[in-house]
Amino acid sequence: MRENFKKIDPLYPDVLGAITRGARINMDKLQCALGTFPRRTFINQPLEVILLLQNMVDQNMQIKIGIQLPSQDKKGDPVVIDLPKKTLSLGLRPGEVGVLRIPIVPLPPTQPGAQFPVRVAVRYRTPAEGRAVRPATGGAPPTVLSVSSVKLQELREVQYAAHTWNQSAEIITTYFDIAPKRVPLVDQDLRPRYESLWTHEGREEELELVQAKVEAAQRVAAGLTRANVYKPLLKAVDERFGERGMPLHPGEVKAIAKMMTYTLDEGFNLEQGFSLEASRWFQTLCQVLAHDENMEDAEKGELVTQYLFDAALYDSILLGFGVVDPKVDEDLGDSAERINYANRIMAWMAGQGDPDLSFVYLPLVMGGVIINLIVTNRDDNPWIVIDELTEAVRGRARLVTGEAAAIFTMMKKLLEEAIDALRRARVLKP
């Protein structure tokens, strides 16, 4: 094992996800989450609309926010809510994460009730396209924050919504209840307040803490083997693709899980042009250990599926291209095109865009076919995945046209070669 790792440069931490436990609205270059606190209030008692904002690029960002409150309840009775400003503007620095608190007060003649909606429209503008500094699907938790642990815990107690209004990602809805009690009306400071939670200034300190965990990450990485990550990945792959509207055949699940297992186990050491320290999953592992050193002793399957899955999937796409490229006659693009394609898949996994069968096969399932004999164990006869994929491809190929048809032509050729390889290796069918 190499002892002298070069300085790593991981992506920015997912501060928003660490607070909301994953709830988020993706708007390409901006992520946000919305909630109210407290969730239940009284007439004349203020509550806060909480809006978390996470800049995903290395550009300054101007944000405009509009708040729409109900004018009547479900019965048609009038609703009066004090809100000094219905539109707000603020700026985020590159990669900045912050929270905007907007106080509101329900006033008479509003009646008690449940599920009063608050709709918040969020629009942003950047001076340039910018470079992504966070993965769309989330990322590692933060190690350094600009707020106290007490304030952080308060933010975590908010019930964050991931509900869009009329399918518009720019309009988010949250709700609050009004209990049947009235408190005396007192003067309140209803000015909105913005507080920064994480900025690029804290990154240097965070990088030092992350760099200090490289050796510990090496030890953990050495323990991520096919014996302890393949089966957990089978379940995770099946669930994650299914959640995104792309249910997979059993052979497809196994092939992708094999490709991801190869990526975590030995692929970055065996394949030309790849290095472990440059992989997204290894750098994410360093961040996870910097956040919580107890994760070094965590169960390997849980570590991979809960903390490293997205990073490992991204790396598996790039490594998969490296595995597939020598085996096919098609031009699979240069490095920049492959990275762009991987980012498209990860954006889809984050909820942006429609399912595309190409995302499943090129290069994930194809790579799984090629390394099928490498990633195997006693409970996994390599013939099974080939037989299951042959059946899946037969059904899928009947429904595709255009570029996807070319992908299945390549896939059939790879399956034929895989069958020949199994026969030459004298692998018996179960």
Side-chain angles (χ1 to χ4, degrees):
M1 187 181 299
R2 290 166 290 175
E3 296 180 357
N4 297 319
F5 271 69
K6 68 179 182 180
K7 191 172 183 179
I8 64 173
D9 186 26
L11 293 172
Y12 290 8
D14 179 23
V15 180
L16 183 146
I19 293 171
T20 67
R21 295 174 178 82
R24 74 184 80 229
I25 299 292
N26 280 292
M27 301 180 184
D28 191 17
K29 298 177 187 176
L30 176 70
Q31 289 186 344
C32 55
L34 181 70
T36 55
F37 190 82
R39 181 68 168 73
R40 193 167 186 247
T41 189
F42 308 112
I43 300 296
N44 295 331
Q45 182 183 51
L47 70 150
E48 288 185 324
V49 178
I50 308 292
L51 179 64
L52 291 173
L53 300 162
Q54 182 161 266
N55 189 347
M56 303 294 286
V57 294
D58 62 348
Q59 297 288 317
N60 290 317
M61 182 175 288
Q62 291 297 317
I63 298 177
K64 289 188 177 181
I65 298 155
I67 301 103
Q68 180 185 352
L69 298 170
S71 58
Q72 61 182 27
D73 60 20
K74 297 175 182 177
K75 298 178 182 178
D77 295 326
V79 171
V80 177
I81 300 176
D82 191 4
L83 172 68
K85 293 187 67 175
K86 292 185 178 180
T87 59
L88 302 165
S89 297
L90 59 88
L92 290 181
R93 288 171 285 175
E96 182 176 358
V97 186
V99 56
L100 178 65
R101 302 173 186 268
I102 308 167
I104 60 175
V105 184
L107 300 172
T110 307
Q111 297 298 308
Q115 294 288 94
F116 289 88
V118 179
R119 296 190 182 105
V120 177
V122 181
R123 292 175 175 84
Y124 69 86
R125 181 170 54 85
T126 58
E129 184 67 20
R131 175 181 63 90
V133 294
R134 290 185 170 90
T137 49
T143 303
V144 176
L145 288 172
S146 304
V147 294
S148 67
S149 58
V150 174
K151 284 189 176 181
L152 187 63
Q153 184 56 40
E154 288 176 354
L155 289 173
R156 285 176 171 155
E157 291 176 2
V158 178
Q159 295 181 22
Y160 291 98
H163 308 293
T164 56
W165 176 250
N166 289 340
Q167 304 302 314
S168 170
E170 295 180 341
I171 304 178
I172 321 166
T173 303
T174 187
Y175 300 89
F176 67 95
D177 303 333
I178 301 177
K181 177 182 177 181
R182 182 179 299 189
V183 299
L185 181 64
V186 297
D187 289 336
Q188 300 282 348
D189 183 0
L190 298 183
R191 288 175 298 181
R193 294 175 292 123
Y194 175 78
E195 185 174 14
S196 183
L197 303 176
W198 191 95
T199 64
H200 186 269
E201 283 74 14
R203 180 162 165 77
E204 287 303 316
E205 180 183 353
E206 189 156 48
L207 284 177
E208 289 182 9
L209 297 171
V210 171
Q211 188 71 35
K213 290 298 180 181
V214 168
E215 290 188 8
Q218 277 185 279
R219 293 192 294 270
V220 174
L224 300 180
T225 66
R226 65 199 68 177
N228 54 35
V229 303
Y230 175 59
K231 286 186 177 179
L233 280 172
L234 282 172
K235 181 180 179 182
V237 167
D238 193 25
E239 291 177 349
R240 292 293 294 274
F241 279 79
E243 289 168 359
R244 289 298 301 121
M246 182 64 77
L248 302 178
H249 290 280
E252 296 165 344
V253 173
K254 289 170 184 167
I256 295 174
K258 280 175 178 276
M259 190 63 235
M260 293 185 70
T261 299
Y262 185 59
T263 300
L264 291 163
D265 187 356
E266 57 188 351
F268 271 82
N269 293 322
L270 295 180
E271 299 297 329
Q272 292 291 324
F274 295 90
S275 66
L276 180 63
E277 62 267 27
S279 70
R280 182 175 290 188
W281 77 259
F282 181 83
Q283 296 193 6
T284 301
L285 176 59
C286 292
Q287 290 175 292
V288 170
L289 296 179
H291 175 76
D292 182 1
E293 61 183 16
N294 293 324
M295 291 305 298
E296 185 175 351
D297 299 318
E299 194 270 326
K300 297 300 187 293
E302 178 185 357
L303 177 66
V304 165
T305 56
Q306 292 193 18
Y307 295 94
L308 303 181
F309 183 91
D310 293 319
L313 182 62
Y314 174 86
D315 287 331
S316 295
I317 296 166
L318 298 183
L319 188 67
F321 275 119
V323 169
V324 173
D325 197 13
K327 301 290 185 179
V328 298
D329 297 328
E330 299 289 332
D331 180 5
L332 299 182
D334 59 22
S335 176
E337 290 171 319
R338 294 176 185 185
I339 290 172
N340 181 60
Y341 181 78
N343 287 329
R344 282 177 55 206
I345 295 179
M346 299 314 297
W348 166 68
M349 292 295 289
Q352 301 172 24
D354 298 321
D356 188 330
L357 196 57
S358 300
F359 294 163
V360 175
Y361 276 84
L362 181 67
L364 292 170
V365 169
M366 289 184 179
V369 170
I370 293 169
I371 54 91
N372 181 35
L373 265 173
I374 300 175
V375 181
T376 187
N377 54 51
R378 293 180 183 176
D379 301 326
D380 176 57
N381 188 295
W383 273 106
I384 295 176
V385 67
I386 299 302
D387 288 344
E388 289 177 343
L389 277 174
T390 300
E391 181 181 349
V393 167
R394 188 180 298 118
R396 298 277 202 194
R398 287 198 295 264
L399 305 175
V400 298
T401 57
E403 292 183 6
I407 289 175
F408 280 94
T409 299
M410 286 190 287
M411 186 65 196
K412 291 174 182 177
K413 179 174 179 289
L414 291 176
L415 284 171
E416 291 171 1
E417 293 175 354
I419 291 171
D420 288 341
L422 290 174
R423 288 171 176 164
R424 288 196 306 270
R426 299 180 184 275
V427 178
L428 297 177
K429 280 197 171 188

